[in-house]
Amino acid sequence: QLRFVESGGGLVQPGGSLRLSCEVSGFSLKDYAIGWFRHSPSQAREPVSCLRASGESIVYADSVKGRITMSRDNAKNTVYLQMSSLKPDDAGVYYCARRRMYCKPTPANYDHWGQGIRVIVSS
C-alpha cells in the first residue's frame, strides 16, 4: 500500500527556516522521483522542486532558488525540503508526489500524492 506522510510544516516567522519531510512507503525512492508542490490562494499547485530517482534535484520555482534544498534518506524512505529565509509568499499547502524516475513540473504527471502540509509565514 502506498503511503505519503508529510510533516514539518507550521508557523514560522519571516526569515526563518523549515524542513518539510515526506515519508513514503510501498515503493522505493530509487525508482521514483519525488516532487514538492505548493498550493496557495494565488496559485494552484505550483511546482517547487523535485528530486530525481538518481538523487539529483531540480528547482522549478524561481522565487525559492537559492533558498531551498532537497535531500533524501533512503534508509528512512524520506525526502526532505529544507527552506530558509522564508517569506510570506512561501506560505501555502505543500504536497509531495511521486512519478517514475524523472521529474516533470506538471502536477498531472505525478500519480500519487500526500495529504499536504500547511506552511504559514507570519510575524
Side-chain angles (χ1 to χ4, degrees):
Q1 183 178 359
L2 298 176
R3 288 185 70 233
F4 295 72
V5 180
E6 294 121 331
S7 62
L11 174 64
V12 61
Q13 292 187 343
S17 298
L18 275 180
R19 188 178 76 165
L20 303 183
S21 300
C22 176
E23 182 180 1
V24 305
S25 59
F27 65 97
S28 174
L29 289 173
K30 296 179 182 179
D31 297 326
Y32 285 86
I34 299 295
W36 282 100
F37 294 79
R38 177 177 63 215
H39 183 96
S40 65
S42 61
Q43 193 156 0
R45 210 123 331 173
E46 172 191 14
V48 176
S49 185
C50 180
L51 195 73
R52 295 172 178 156
S54 63
E56 299 167 323
S57 63
I58 301 170
V59 179
Y60 289 118
D62 289 338
S63 63
V64 301
K65 285 182 178 176
R67 299 191 293 117
I68 67 165
T69 304
M70 280 193 73
S71 61
R72 185 174 78 190
D73 186 332
N74 291 331
K76 295 182 178 180
N77 292 323
T78 301
V79 175
Y80 303 99
L81 178 67
Q82 178 72 47
M83 303 188 291
S84 61
S85 302
L86 284 163
K87 306 174 183 179
D89 285 349
D90 295 322
V93 179
Y94 284 73
Y95 297 86
C96 61
R98 75 159 201 184
R99 75 178 306 276
R100 190 77 175 171
M101 294 302 291
Y102 304 107
C103 294
K104 295 278 189 182
T106 307
N109 286 304
Y110 292 75
D111 63 357
H112 286 279
W113 292 75
Q115 79 285 357
I117 190 155
R118 185 171 297 277
V119 171
I120 302 169
V121 183
S122 176
S123 54

